[in-house]
Amino acid sequence: MDDLQRTVVRPAIKRHYLFASFSESEIEGLLDGCRVYQLDADAFLFRQDDKAERFFLVGDGQIKLFRTSVEGNEKVVEIITPGQTVAEAVLFMQRQHYPVSAQAIRPARVYGIDGAAYVALLETNRDANMRIIADLSMRLHARLNDVVNLTQQNATYRVVRYLFSLLPRDAENGVLVTLNTPKQVIASRLSVKPETLSRIMANLAQKGIVDVKGREIVVKDIERLNSFE
C-alpha cells in the first residue's frame, strides 16, 4: 500500500471500533498488509466458498451478501454500507471459506484486512477481543431477529419494518427517504417478490401513509407506518 492509500485508509480503520484498541504501530502493521479494492457495480469482492484470507471494511458504496441455492436462486442476506465490516466472523471458523458471495450493488471502495495479522494482534489484546466478541454477538442477535421476521411475520410487516429502519431517529412526518438500493435487492433481502414489494408500497401510498416517486419516498404519517400491518 502506497503513502496516498495509507492517508485514506488509516483514518477509516482508526474510526472503526474493531481497531480502536490497537496502538499506532499495530495499525501501521495492519496497513502493511491491507489492500484497497475499487469495485464497479456488479463486480464481486469474493464468491461463496472462496478461501477466506481477509475481512473487509467498506469505505464507499454498497455491498450485498448473498447465497446461491443449488437451483441457482439468489438470496440476499445482508446489505453492507460504508463503515461496516464484512467476513470478520470467518476468521474464527474451522472451515475458513466465505459462506456467502459479496458483490457491489454500485461502485464501491473496500479495504481488505489481512486476517492472520488481525488474529495475531487479538492474541495479545484483551480489549480488542472483547470488542469483536461484542460485534459478533450483535450480528448473531440481528440474524436471529431476521429468522423470526422471515418465518413468523407477513410480507407487509417486513416491508414496513424495513422502511421504518431507514428513518432518522428524530424523524417527523414528511421525512424524505431515498432508496439507494435496487428494489430487487431489497425484495430479496426481505424474502418477497419484487412485484409484492411494489404492491405493498402502492397500498401504503393509497392509504396516504407514504408518497412514492421512484426511489424517493416521503413518509407522511410515521405513527401509522409504525402500526401498519
Side-chain angles (χ1 to χ4, degrees):
M1 175 178 290
D2 59 36
D3 291 341
L4 180 59
Q5 289 178 322
R6 280 177 180 263
T7 61
V8 174
V9 180
R10 185 185 292 109
I13 285 181
K14 292 177 68 174
R15 281 195 302 268
H16 197 280
Y17 65 90
L18 290 184
F19 306 93
S21 299
F22 296 139
S23 66
E24 290 291 337
S25 61
E26 289 172 330
I27 293 292
E28 290 302 317
L30 288 176
L31 289 174
D32 288 340
C34 182
R35 290 183 58 184
V36 179
Y37 299 82
Q38 295 284 353
L39 303 176
D40 294 329
D42 298 326
F44 279 84
L45 179 61
F46 55 79
R47 294 178 185 270
Q48 185 175 326
D49 293 325
D50 283 353
K51 184 173 176 56
E53 297 178 341
R54 296 178 181 273
F55 71 103
F56 305 90
L57 173 64
V58 177
D60 291 299
Q62 287 183 325
I63 303 290
K64 67 175 179 179
L65 305 183
F66 68 94
R67 288 184 62 86
T68 304
S69 68
V70 293
E71 295 83 11
N73 298 320
E74 178 183 304
K75 173 65 179 80
V76 177
V77 297
E78 194 167 2
I79 298 169
I80 307 298
T81 56
Q84 293 183 298
T85 50
V86 178
E88 65 270 27
V90 182
L91 302 177
F92 307 98
M93 296 168 59
Q94 281 190 321
R95 183 177 181 270
Q96 291 189 340
H97 292 78
Y98 298 116
V100 296
S101 296
Q103 185 180 26
I105 296 174
R106 52 182 179 149
R109 184 171 71 247
V110 182
Y111 313 131
I113 313 299
D114 184 276
Y118 186 83
V119 170
L121 290 180
L122 290 182
E123 292 174 352
T124 60
N125 193 314
R126 180 181 180 278
D127 287 343
N129 271 294
M130 296 306 295
R131 288 176 185 272
I132 199 166
I133 288 172
D135 173 73
L136 297 179
S137 297
M138 287 188 293
R139 291 195 176 219
L140 176 60
H141 184 69
R143 296 292 77 76
L144 289 174
N145 284 339
D146 286 344
V147 170
V148 171
N149 288 334
L150 294 175
T151 58
Q152 298 183 9
Q153 306 295 348
N154 62 33
T156 298
Y157 178 91
R158 297 198 295 272
V159 173
V160 167
R161 287 299 95 199
Y162 177 77
L163 286 178
F164 205 77
S165 72
L166 299 179
L167 299 180
R169 183 170 299 177
D170 57 350
E172 298 180 352
N173 289 342
V175 63
L176 173 66
V177 174
T178 301
L179 298 180
N180 292 319
T181 305
K183 286 187 177 180
Q184 65 268 25
V185 176
I186 296 173
S188 178
R189 177 69 183 86
L190 300 177
S191 291
V192 300
K193 295 180 179 180
E195 55 268 29
T196 301
L197 175 60
S198 296
R199 176 179 54 79
I200 293 170
M201 294 299 296
N203 189 25
L204 290 169
Q206 185 179 23
K207 293 183 181 298
I209 298 174
V210 301
D211 185 18
V212 182
K213 295 181 179 179
R215 296 190 300 113
E216 294 186 341
I217 299 172
V218 175
V219 181
K220 301 165 67 175
D221 193 325
I222 294 175
E223 184 176 350
R224 288 181 65 199
L225 176 67
N226 190 34
S227 61
F228 191 83
E229 295 182 357

